[in-house]
């Protein structure tokens, strides 16, 4: 298994190109199955999760060709209504084929995704979406089995106990677009990745209107292929901003879309960083040593994203004073705390709130990556620590960050991979 070796201490300086958003690419790849002709997606990042989704699309009969960051997905032979356990267990987002299967093949058999290290991750809202549209859902032997006797427009809410669900919104939308009549869906996720899916579907011929937390879908008979470019990855951009911040550096983020990052940019400015738009992107720099502690609460968009919680916890651990980080989306998503503590961070956890008592230095230690964003947090901590940190189980990072060590090295980080 590969590990990353990071020698800390160098402030990051220079420019980095932000890739297309993983969390938009995955549902948009699945949505391509809804068309009767090929869909071309540009700005698709080269990531393990994208490879897995390509495999899922192959498994259900579609042809996928990749040329650099462009994917051409030909759904003409999409005719297998099953996503087996060995794929879904690799990547939860495989469940995104559920909606297209129900809509186009009139039936679906998709393995139930299990829990994962960031906590319990139910799928009841996905099923609520299907049932509200008139599908018949059965869960047995670890599989979700859905029959579509003819989906009909309906008025319902997808709001869950922790707010809206990105996955359930995308799946329900992909089922509703080919249904009969009008659906009004309340309590939907407003994440930019969901809006990218709405844009793609509308370009394919769908009739969807998204406003705040409500989406209205007027069903259509068929959808056609188009060319579409995936939005920039706001989580990757936020991670590089946090990397600039924790190393007290100065980084230009090319192809970064600041309007998708208001909560994150607001926090960085409150802490004392300068974040400004520049032509084609943004600049994040630390102009003074006096950074202030803060309180972060993760929330569905437009709130502060849970996918940046771990990285900001690492950053706050080097700011003098007490900060708090409250996780409202995945209350158990704090696996990185024990690893950060091994590097000298002082963080205590009570319920879903971490209290971070800033320390002057972090020191290198062998640490273990537990999930995708926790891996990023450990890399950030290592960039600022004294000495050489070895980060084990780094395969998690390849799921979601394109060429991370190359990009960081381009900013002056001393980082390399060992196999
Ligand atoms: C997506 C992102 C993930 C991000 C998460 C929250 C992708 C591929 N993944 O995951 O990176 O961390 O959004 O922004 O885009 N929930 C239910 N019932 C359900 C579904 C969800 O109760 O049926 C709960 C979840 O447990 C969680 C909250 O709703 O507390 C939000 O989850 P959701 O938005 O669905 O996450 P994903 O789509 O799985």
């Amino acid at each position: 298994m590969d590990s990353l070796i990071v020698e800390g201490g160098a402030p990051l300086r220079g420019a980095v190109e932000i890739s297309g958003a993983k969390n938009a690419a995955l549902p948009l790849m699945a949505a391509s199955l809804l068309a009767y002709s090929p869909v071309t997606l540009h700005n698709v990042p080269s990531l393990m999760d994208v490879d897995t989704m390509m495999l899922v699309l192959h498994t259900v009969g579609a042809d996928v060709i990749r040329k650099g960051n462009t994917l051409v997905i030909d759904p003409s032979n999409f005719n297998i209504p099953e996503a087996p356990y060995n794929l879904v267990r690799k990547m939860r987002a495989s469940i995104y084929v559920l909606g297209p299967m129900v809509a186009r093949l009139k039936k679906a058999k998709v393995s139930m995704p299990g829990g994962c290290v960031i906590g319990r991750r139910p799928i009841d809202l996905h099923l609520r979406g299907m049932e509200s549209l008139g599908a018949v859902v059965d869960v047995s032997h670890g599989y979700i089995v859905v029959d579509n006797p003819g989906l009909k427009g309906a008025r319902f809410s997808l709001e869950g106990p922790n707010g809206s669900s990105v996955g359930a919104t995308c799946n329900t939308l992909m089922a509703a677009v080919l249904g009969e009549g009008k659906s009004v869906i309340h309590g939907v996720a407003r994440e930019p990745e969901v809006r990218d899916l709405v844009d793609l579907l509308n370009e394919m011929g769908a009739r969807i209107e998204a406003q705040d937390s409500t989406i209205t879908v007027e069903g259509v008979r068929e959808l056609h292929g188009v060319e579409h470019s995936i939005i920039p990855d706001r989580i990757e951009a936020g991670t590089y901003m946090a990397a600039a911040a924790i190393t007290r550096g100065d980084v230009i983020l090319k192809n970064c879309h600041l309007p998708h990052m208001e909560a994150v940019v607001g926090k960085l400015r409150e802490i004392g960083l300068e974040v400004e738009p520049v032509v084609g992107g943004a600049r994040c720099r630390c102009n003074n040593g006096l950074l202030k502690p803060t309180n972060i609460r993760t929330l569905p968009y437009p709130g502060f994203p849970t996918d940046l919680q771990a990285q900001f916890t690492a950053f706050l651990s080097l700011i003098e004073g007490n900060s708090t980080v409250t996780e409202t989306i995945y209350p158990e998503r704090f696996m990185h705390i024990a690893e950060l503590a091994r590097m000298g961070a002082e963080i205590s956890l009570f319920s879903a709130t971490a209290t971070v008592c800033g320390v002057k230095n972090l020191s290198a230690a062998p640490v273990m990556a537990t999930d995708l964003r926790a891996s990023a947090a450990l890399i950030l901590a290592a960039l600022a620590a004294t000495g050489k940190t070895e980060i084990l189980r780094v395969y998690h990072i390849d799921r979601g960050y394109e060429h991370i060590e190359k990009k960081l090295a381009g900013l002056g980080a001393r980082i390399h991979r060992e196999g």
Side-chain angles (χ1 to χ4, degrees):
M1 257 186 249
D2 287 1
S3 56
L4 283 178
I5 312 294
V6 182
E7 200 179 335
L12 299 191
R13 291 186 197 288
V16 62
E17 179 88 29
I18 299 306
S19 301
K22 167 179 92 73
N23 287 353
L26 299 175
L28 271 68
M29 287 170 72
S32 305
L33 295 172
L34 290 163
Y36 61 79
S37 52
V39 172
T40 302
L41 296 176
H42 300 292
N43 203 31
V44 178
S46 173
L47 300 170
M48 237 158 65
D49 275 6
V50 167
D51 294 346
T52 306
M53 188 54 100
M54 284 173 69
L55 196 61
V56 174
L57 299 185
H58 271 299
T59 306
V60 300
D63 283 324
V64 190
I65 299 169
R66 177 193 264 284
K67 275 193 200 136
N69 287 112
T70 294
L71 288 185
V72 181
I73 301 167
D74 183 350
S76 321
N77 296 320
F78 168 42
N79 57 11
I80 302 167
E82 181 164 345
Y85 177 60
N86 63 0
L87 284 178
V88 181
R89 82 183 158 83
K90 260 194 186 176
M91 183 183 72
R92 294 180 58 83
S94 309
I95 200 184
Y96 277 138
V97 293
L98 181 69
M101 276 178 187
V102 171
R104 277 206 70 196
L105 308 181
K106 311 290 177 212
K107 56 185 176 179
K109 185 177 174 196
V110 175
S111 171
M112 289 265 289
C116 71
V117 287
I118 67 174
R120 211 175 66 86
R121 295 180 75 175
I123 50 145
D124 56 309
L125 301 172
H126 296 245
L127 306 187
R128 189 200 291 173
M130 299 298 143
E131 283 178 327
S132 303
L133 293 166
V136 181
V137 177
D138 184 33
V139 177
S140 61
H141 304 293
Y143 276 81
I144 308 156
V145 182
V146 184
D147 250 313
N148 166 6
L151 296 190
K152 295 235 168 19
R155 181 181 282 269
F156 55 96
S157 166
L158 281 179
E159 181 98 24
N162 296 342
S164 53
S165 157
V166 172
T169 302
C170 292
N171 247 334
T172 307
L173 197 53
M174 290 189 280
V177 277
L178 293 180
E180 199 188 307
K182 180 172 165 176
S183 294
V184 181
I185 314 172
H186 298 290
V188 297
R190 300 155 64 180
E191 269 69 1
E193 295 76 19
V194 174
R195 294 299 168 88
D196 205 20
L197 175 65
V198 168
D199 288 345
L200 173 76
L201 291 170
N202 279 338
E203 289 154 19
M204 288 163 72
R207 292 175 59 197
I208 307 168
E209 250 181 62
Q211 213 177 28
D212 300 330
S213 302
T214 299
I215 284 181
T216 308
V217 185
E218 219 28 278
V220 296
R221 277 180 173 274
E222 57 181 28
L223 298 174
H224 54 81
V226 287
E227 278 196 40
H228 181 94
S229 194
I230 305 283
I231 56 169
D233 195 318
R234 66 195 166 99
I235 304 301
E236 190 197 23
T239 303
Y240 284 102
M241 286 181 182
I246 198 170
T247 61
R248 312 299 192 253
D250 182 353
V251 169
I252 299 219
L253 303 108
K254 295 196 263 181
N255 188 35
C256 150
H257 190 63
L258 276 187
H260 288 166
M261 302 182 65
E262 277 180 14
V264 175
V265 170
K267 272 296 156 201
L268 285 167
R269 287 184 180 146
E270 190 189 313
I271 292 167
L273 276 295
E274 269 186 33
V275 185
E276 298 302 333
V278 296
V279 179
R283 178 176 186 180
C284 176
R285 65 179 156 163
C286 182
N287 254 350
N288 65 62
L290 290 175
L291 299 182
K292 290 191 297 252
T294 190
N295 303 313
I296 290 178
R297 189 178 178 80
T298 65
L299 285 169
Y301 189 84
F304 190 94
T306 172
D307 285 351
L308 284 171
Q309 182 259 107
Q311 301 88 316
F312 272 68
T313 302
F315 170 39
L316 294 175
S317 74
L318 280 171
I319 296 177
E320 204 183 324
N322 280 343
S323 297
T324 62
V325 180
T326 301
E327 178 57 73
T328 76
I329 298 179
Y330 298 115
E332 294 159 47
R333 191 178 204 174
F334 285 109
M335 301 285 279
H336 43 284
I337 285 182
E339 299 302 303
L340 290 172
R342 303 191 63 251
M343 301 178 73
E346 287 185 15
I347 307 172
S348 57
L349 186 61
F350 180 72
S351 187
T353 297
T355 302
V356 185
C357 176
V359 293
K360 285 214 155 35
N361 291 301
L362 292 176
S363 61
V367 287
M368 184 92 81
T370 49
D371 66 76
L372 170 58
R373 307 303 171 185
S375 320
L378 295 177
I379 294 176
L380 298 196
L383 288 171
T386 51
K388 232 184 228 182
T389 296
E390 182 181 12
I391 303 163
L392 303 167
R393 294 208 183 155
V394 76
Y395 58 87
H396 290 292
I397 204 94
D398 298 325
R399 286 191 34 223
Y401 288 91
E402 191 175 40
H403 311 313
I404 188 162
E405 66 262 40
K406 209 167 138 199
K407 288 189 185 185
L408 285 171
L411 295 171
R414 294 171 294 220
I415 178 169
H416 69 273
R417 190 179 285 244
E418 284 182 2

